[in-house]
Amino acid sequence: NNELNIQGLTADVQQVSVYSLLGKEILSSDVNTQSALSLDVSDLATGMYLVKFQGDRSFFTKKFIKQ
């Protein structure tokens, strides 16, 4: 699949970024109060990545596996 679809974003999330497991930022997108976001991951190699959801005062990460 060449798209990473993210749904259920809250107003607290302002930016979504994708990182390699080595910590290198690969792509990033501003959320702009959207509740859903679609990222083009067609250029990413097969493997595991981290998706960082960033807000004003906090952030959290989730694993993402590109097949």
Side-chain angles (χ1 to χ4, degrees), residues 7-64:
Q7 298 181 353
L9 294 171
T10 65
D12 295 333
V13 178
Q14 297 175 343
Q15 187 174 47
V16 176
S17 304
V18 177
Y19 290 85
S20 72
L21 292 181
L22 298 176
K24 179 181 177 187
E25 183 177 294
I26 298 170
L27 60 97
S28 182
S29 179
D30 291 330
V31 175
N32 299 323
T33 69
Q34 301 171 73
S35 63
L37 185 65
S38 181
L39 299 175
D40 180 7
V41 293
S42 59
D43 290 339
L44 299 184
T46 299
M48 186 180 300
Y49 297 88
L50 298 175
V51 181
K52 179 179 177 182
F53 299 86
Q54 179 85 35
D56 269 340
R57 295 179 295 272
S58 63
F59 70 91
F60 65 95
T61 58
K62 294 286 185 182
K63 291 180 184 174
F64 156 62

